[in-house]
Amino acid sequence: MSDLIRPRTLKGFRDFLPEAAIPREAVIATALEVYRNYGYSPIDTPVLEYADILLGKGSDETDKQTYRFTDHGGRDVAMRFDLTVPFARFAAQHIGVLGTPFKRYHVGPVWRGENTQRGRYREFVQFDFDIIGTESSLADIETILVAHDVFAALGFERFSVRVNDRRVLNGLLEKFGLDGAAVAVLRALDKLPKVGPDGVRRELAAAGADDAAVAAIMSLVGITGSNREVVTQLREMMADSPTAMAGVEGLHALAEAVAALGIDEARVHIDLSIARGLDYYTGMVFETFLDDLPEIGSCCSGGRYADLASLYTKQRLPGVGGSLGVDRLLAAMDELGLVDGRATWAPVLVTVFDDEGRLHALRLAGELRAAGIGAEVFPDTKRLGAQLKYADRRGHRLVVIAGPDERTAGQVQIKDLAAGTSQSIDEGDFVAAVGAWLEA
Amino acid sequence: MSDLIRPRTLKGFRDFLPEAAIPREAVIATALEVYRNYGYSPIDTPVLEYADILLGKGSDETDKQTYRFTDHGGRDVAMRFDLTVPFARFAAQHIGVLGTPFKRYHVGPVWRGENTQRGRYREFVQFDFDIIGTESSLADIETILVAHDVFAALGFERFSVRVNDRRVLNGLLEKFGLDGAAVAVLRALDKLPKVGPDGVRRELAAAGADDAAVAAIMSLVGITGSNREVVTQLREMMADSPTAMAGVEGLHALAEAVAALGIDEARVHIDLSIARGLDYYTGMVFETFLDDLPEIGSCCSGGRYADLASLYTKQRLPGVGGSLGVDRLLAAMDELGLVDGRATWAPVLVTVFDDEGRLHALRLAGELRAAGIGAEVFPDTKRLGAQLKYADRRGHRLVVIAGPDERTAGQVQIKDLAAGTSQSIDEGDFVAAVGAWLEA
């Protein structure tokens, strides 16, 4: 047996055991329901694409990180490194059939051969949602509402969707003749949490901003207050910039919607320091933070872009959307103690003690399932202690016991593992009793 | 603009537009619920693994079809071509933590560089379920019940899970000294639907069976009748073979369970011609056919195996499970007219006509969502005709209209697109009205 292959995974890749796969399924299902309820529809694209499609607009870093190879047919292919580029290709290819506006969600793994020393994985799940073919600020607002609703539905009490509009800063930069330095300025601002205001000032100067420009930029990102107060200040400060005012009016519309819908301002607020250092975005941008775990970074980010698919089609496709970082969110939930460690979705284990009891156990489990209650039948006729231990380790909440004595009496014993209590119930009443017990 | 990249997918790969992605999500969700309710738990494994892990037991054909390359770190890696091999590696690596019995499901794409001329795709989704660490025939029975419940839950009226036990044939082959020819015999039997009985006889002879053996094998696979009748005949015919009788008793236990649980025998029945030409299986084997579309082949297959992970661990892990062919099933549902072509999960579209109506539309949609009803807000202020056309193309069932007149009157107009009817409702009652309308 020395020729066994050692079971192992690649560096930066990982297995999901049930305790980790269950919360991931739950997070995805929760976001899925929100996306669907807002009218986003699912799409899927291949994991493998022609390399020129995926890398057409890639940076050097993306190029280096992409898994790329030659397939059996001699084609230069690559594994997707995000869901945005495939969506752009998809939209360019199918927009004639899809029509506009088009709202899609897309969930799936992506691959980047990143340096794993930074605690990053080389395979991780993204869950994106976008609406394309419209420039309406209503779509911007809905994007923020989706992010808000996902975090609320996930059960977080304290989170904040922080919203900015790229045009406000652009307007300011225009005033100082810094239009060409926008990306460098954004990258500098992105580092605010890391390097602090003085560090950002140095980076801004390096990007070409003179003292007056640095002061104006720092003054802009330093504006605080309620959403309406921030809008009021911006309207005064930027009145002479049409570019900036377009952004301010977008933020105003969002602030009004948040107020009208009764959403807590602590959960959705304007934050002028949000930069998103990608030149891809052209209007509203947002990031989402967990107030109890800010250091983990944004768990849902996105914004508005002027043209999704210019690499692949002449048809201009403006849009707005966001991306939920499923794995980062799960790491946060784990750290916040929001993951219960159960290894099964089925709340009930039905025990089996003897060959005569097997059909009986199958029937009891079938009755529970018919009532929508997940029930697993222990497959072997082991002693009760072993079956209880199994249920305890898996995280079953109730154990149903129907040995020879119970069957003779026409009864079923229900055992609550956490409470350590048990009760005997007539067979005819046991499904209702289990249902009530689980709801309690 | 001549440097546009032509948007295209690789040969054998495909996009899923919402009309195709929605039924796939529905099929997976239905199977998922059945698996969960039987106590199977989710796992996930990386798409990329070390090539020696994935190809350790591969045939030449598998080797040729596998996407394999050298990664950035010089590692010989490959994309998984099924979910069984990764599960074997996973089980060997983690069984100490997982414990036994262990029930898992696993859904995800797999890749094979197959000849696409046969109508096959190079990327397709499998959805497997297995229980390992037990030799109990109860687990065999549950596997069949899961297959049955999935097809019933999917809404198929006419389907058949056809069950056999590898040991019955093995017992017969032993009698004729044909133990060594088992795989060749199985492959010959697998071709029965394609080449007919005479073709199979020729193949059996080529595999080394003499006339008596051919006659006995054909007589075995020709046995028909109710499950109990087949068991009775097998008991008479195979009484002198302990190997065969072990299989017969497995089939007997299944037949008793099917009868006790009140399952239609047309849906789960013993079929001695089911071979599954893989030497991997050692006991119960099954395939599942749609009676209205038998030519599409088995949509859910599996069986019992003696040892899952012998390539990676000395610990013997017997198990039983099945694999749902999601893509094949979807092709069948499409052909049977069971796919309704909707491009949205949200049943309601809320229209918008003027800037003043935007907040109102957001509020109406929010009220519907709070009641669990998916509602999309049209983002632009286009004329009603354009918005209705959009709803019609997407497959929204109801359109909510709240223009200036309706808002002044405190009313909402609800329009049923299929029926062509509409009704005005007081704002305070409209959520309940929409709910009732959708349920009708």
Side-chain angles (χ1 to χ4, degrees):
Chain A
M1 299 300 279
S2 61
D3 57 350
L4 283 180
I5 300 168
R6 187 169 63 84
R8 66 211 190 278
T9 49
L10 289 160
K11 194 179 160 192
F13 290 78
R14 59 195 157 150
D15 288 325
F16 281 76
L17 274 64
E19 293 85 334
I22 284 176
R24 189 169 72 167
E25 285 192 339
V27 164
I28 289 172
T30 299
L32 185 76
E33 193 176 346
V34 174
Y35 295 174
R36 284 181 180 173
N37 276 343
Y38 273 85
Y40 294 84
S41 297
I43 68 158
D44 201 9
T45 63
V47 162
L48 281 182
E49 301 235 16
Y50 282 104
D52 71 323
I53 295 263
L54 294 185
L55 297 172
K57 95 196 254 182
S59 60
D60 280 354
E61 206 192 3
T62 309
D63 277 7
K64 253 186 290 175
Q65 294 180 349
T66 302
Y67 288 93
R68 179 177 182 176
F69 60 98
T70 304
D71 80 356
H72 312 79
R75 302 173 196 90
D76 181 11
V77 302
M79 296 171 77
R80 65 182 179 213
F81 55 84
D82 72 6
L83 300 177
T84 302
V85 174
F87 179 45
R89 193 270 307 152
F90 175 98
Q93 195 168 335
H94 304 295
I95 198 68
V97 177
L98 298 169
T100 58
F102 178 66
K103 296 170 93 162
R104 82 88 169 81
Y105 61 82
H106 190 185
V107 60
V110 302
W111 294 267
R112 293 183 198 171
E114 290 197 271
N115 188 342
T116 55
Q117 284 171 338
R118 288 185 288 167
R120 303 251 176 117
Y121 290 100
R122 290 176 171 169
E123 176 180 68
F124 54 98
V125 169
Q126 292 193 331
F127 198 174
D128 288 12
F129 60 101
D130 283 86
I131 173 167
I132 58 169
T134 177
E135 299 190 282
S136 162
S137 69
L138 193 57
D140 295 18
I141 292 169
E142 270 211 326
T143 301
I144 298 303
L145 295 179
V146 167
H148 169 273
D149 286 10
V150 166
F151 282 79
L154 285 171
F156 290 108
E157 286 297 325
R158 291 160 38 77
F159 63 87
S160 56
V161 187
R162 300 186 200 165
V163 191
N164 194 2
D165 195 296
R166 185 61 61 85
R167 291 168 293 182
V168 178
L169 182 68
N170 285 348
L172 190 71
L173 295 181
E174 281 171 9
K175 289 207 264 182
F176 289 93
L178 285 167
D179 318 35
V183 172
V185 170
L186 291 169
R187 298 229 163 114
L189 290 175
D190 250 353
K191 294 186 191 162
L192 185 58
K194 215 180 283 179
V195 303
D198 284 341
V200 172
R201 280 190 191 96
R202 276 191 297 275
E203 300 236 358
L204 289 173
D210 62 18
D211 287 355
V214 169
I217 293 168
M218 294 309 287
S219 156
L220 177 72
V221 303
I223 292 177
T224 55
S226 73
N227 289 335
R228 280 173 175 161
E229 286 165 2
V230 171
V231 167
T232 303
Q233 290 184 69
L234 286 176
R235 278 180 169 162
E236 285 166 17
M237 187 172 167
M238 306 306 267
D240 57 347
S241 164
T243 302
M245 284 309 287
V248 174
E249 291 318 309
L251 294 174
H252 170 67
L254 173 70
E256 292 306 307
V258 166
L261 296 171
I263 292 173
D264 184 349
E265 275 212 18
R267 290 181 163 187
V268 177
H269 60 87
I270 301 171
D271 180 339
L272 299 168
S273 75
I274 295 298
R276 312 255 345 111
L278 293 170
D279 57 359
Y280 175 63
Y281 294 110
T282 54
M284 185 274 284
V285 288
F286 74 98
E287 298 189 340
T288 310
F289 295 87
L290 301 174
D291 299 352
D292 297 317
L293 214 58
E295 65 275 17
I296 205 161
S298 173
C299 297
C300 183
S301 313
R304 173 164 281 285
Y305 38 87
D307 197 1
L308 174 70
S310 58
L311 281 179
Y312 316 107
T313 178
K314 288 188 226 177
Q315 182 171 352
R316 200 170 75 83
L317 291 171
V320 57
S323 181
L324 188 71
V326 173
D327 291 292
R328 185 177 288 192
L329 201 52
L330 283 165
M333 293 174 77
D334 202 26
E335 204 163 326
L336 292 173
L338 298 174
V339 173
D340 71 3
R342 277 182 207 282
T344 180
W345 282 103
V348 179
L349 180 74
V350 180
T351 54
V352 178
F353 300 101
D354 47 13
D355 284 348
E356 293 71 43
R358 290 157 42 120
L359 280 185
H360 189 67
L362 283 177
R363 214 182 283 118
L364 294 176
E367 286 176 30
L368 289 171
R369 287 184 207 118
I373 299 168
E376 175 174 354
V377 178
F378 196 84
D380 297 299
T381 50
K382 290 193 178 166
R383 62 188 173 75
L384 181 60
Q387 298 189 47
L388 290 180
K389 201 172 144 195
Y390 174 84
D392 197 49
R393 201 179 56 214
R394 292 273 170 229
H396 295 287
R397 292 176 54 199
L398 299 180
V399 174
V400 165
I401 300 168
D405 296 345
E406 283 88 0
R407 294 204 301 276
T408 306
Q411 289 203 318
V412 169
Q413 195 191 140
I414 306 175
K415 202 172 169 66
D416 184 322
L417 284 177
T421 55
S422 68
Q423 202 180 336
S424 285
I425 311 266
D426 284 344
E427 259 178 47
D429 303 325
F430 106 101
V431 173
V434 167
W437 208 315
L438 290 173
E439 275 177 27
Chain B
M1 299 302 277
S2 62
D3 57 351
L4 284 180
I5 300 169
R6 187 168 63 85
R8 65 210 192 279
T9 49
L10 290 160
K11 193 179 161 192
F13 290 78
R14 60 195 157 150
D15 289 326
F16 281 77
L17 274 63
E19 293 85 335
I22 284 176
R24 189 170 71 167
E25 285 192 341
V27 164
I28 289 172
T30 298
L32 186 75
E33 194 178 343
V34 173
Y35 295 174
R36 284 181 179 173
N37 277 343
Y38 273 85
Y40 294 84
S41 297
I43 69 159
D44 201 10
T45 64
V47 162
L48 281 182
E49 302 235 16
Y50 282 103
D52 71 323
I53 295 265
L54 294 185
L55 297 172
K57 96 197 254 183
S59 59
D60 280 354
E61 206 189 6
T62 308
D63 276 7
K64 254 186 288 174
Q65 294 180 348
T66 301
Y67 287 94
R68 178 177 182 175
F69 60 98
T70 303
D71 80 356
H72 313 78
R75 302 173 197 90
D76 181 12
V77 302
M79 296 170 77
R80 66 183 177 209
F81 56 83
D82 72 7
L83 299 178
T84 302
V85 175
F87 179 45
R89 192 270 308 152
F90 175 98
Q93 197 168 334
H94 304 295
I95 198 67
V97 177
L98 299 168
T100 57
F102 177 67
K103 296 169 92 161
R104 82 87 170 82
Y105 63 82
H106 191 186
V107 60
V110 302
W111 293 267
R112 292 182 198 172
E114 290 197 270
N115 187 344
T116 56
Q117 285 171 337
R118 288 184 288 168
R120 301 249 177 120
Y121 290 99
R122 290 175 173 170
E123 176 180 68
F124 54 98
V125 169
Q126 292 194 330
F127 199 174
D128 288 12
F129 61 100
D130 284 86
I131 175 168
I132 58 169
T134 176
E135 299 191 280
S136 162
S137 68
L138 193 57
D140 295 18
I141 293 169
E142 270 211 325
T143 301
I144 297 303
L145 296 179
V146 166
H148 168 273
D149 285 10
V150 166
F151 282 79
L154 285 171
F156 290 108
E157 286 297 325
R158 290 161 38 80
F159 64 86
S160 54
V161 187
R162 301 187 200 163
V163 191
N164 193 2
D165 194 296
R166 185 61 61 85
R167 291 169 292 182
V168 178
L169 181 68
N170 285 348
L172 190 71
L173 296 181
E174 280 171 11
K175 288 209 264 184
F176 288 93
L178 286 167
D179 318 34
V183 172
V185 169
L186 291 169
R187 299 229 162 114
L189 290 175
D190 250 353
K191 294 187 190 159
L192 186 57
K194 215 180 286 179
V195 302
D198 283 342
V200 172
R201 279 190 193 94
R202 275 191 298 276
E203 299 236 1
L204 289 173
D210 62 18
D211 287 354
V214 169
I217 293 169
M218 294 308 287
S219 154
L220 177 71
V221 304
I223 293 176
T224 56
S226 72
N227 288 335
R228 280 173 176 159
E229 285 164 3
V230 170
V231 168
T232 303
Q233 288 183 68
L234 285 177
R235 278 181 169 162
E236 284 167 16
M237 188 171 165
M238 305 305 255
D240 56 347
S241 164
T243 302
M245 285 309 288
V248 174
E249 290 319 308
L251 294 174
H252 170 68
L254 172 70
E256 292 307 307
V258 166
L261 295 171
I263 293 173
D264 184 351
E265 274 212 20
R267 289 181 163 187
V268 177
H269 60 88
I270 300 170
D271 180 340
L272 299 169
S273 76
I274 295 298
R276 311 250 352 104
L278 294 170
D279 56 0
Y280 176 61
Y281 295 111
T282 53
M284 186 274 285
V285 289
F286 75 97
E287 299 188 339
T288 310
F289 295 87
L290 302 172
D291 297 352
D292 297 317
L293 213 58
E295 65 275 17
I296 205 161
S298 174
C299 297
C300 183
S301 313
R304 173 164 281 285
Y305 37 87
D307 197 2
L308 175 69
S310 58
L311 281 179
Y312 316 107
T313 178
K314 288 186 225 177
Q315 182 172 349
R316 200 170 75 84
L317 291 170
V320 59
S323 182
L324 189 70
V326 173
D327 290 293
R328 185 177 286 192
L329 202 51
L330 283 164
M333 293 174 76
D334 202 25
E335 204 164 325
L336 293 174
L338 297 175
V339 174
D340 71 3
R342 278 182 206 283
T344 179
W345 282 103
V348 179
L349 180 74
V350 180
T351 54
V352 178
F353 300 100
D354 46 12
D355 284 348
E356 294 70 44
R358 291 158 42 120
L359 280 185
H360 188 67
L362 283 177
R363 215 181 284 119
L364 294 177
E367 285 177 31
L368 289 171
R369 287 184 207 118
I373 299 169
E376 175 174 353
V377 178
F378 195 83
D380 297 301
T381 51
K382 291 194 178 164
R383 63 189 171 75
L384 180 60
Q387 298 189 47
L388 290 179
K389 201 173 144 196
Y390 174 84
D392 197 49
R393 201 179 56 214
R394 292 272 171 230
H396 295 287
R397 291 176 55 198
L398 300 180
V399 174
V400 166
I401 300 168
D405 296 347
E406 283 89 359
R407 293 204 300 276
T408 305
Q411 288 202 318
V412 169
Q413 195 191 139
I414 305 173
K415 200 172 170 68
D416 184 323
L417 284 177
T421 55
S422 67
Q423 200 179 339
S424 286
I425 310 263
D426 284 344
E427 260 179 48
D429 303 326
F430 105 101
V431 173
V434 167
W437 207 315
L438 290 174
E439 274 177 27

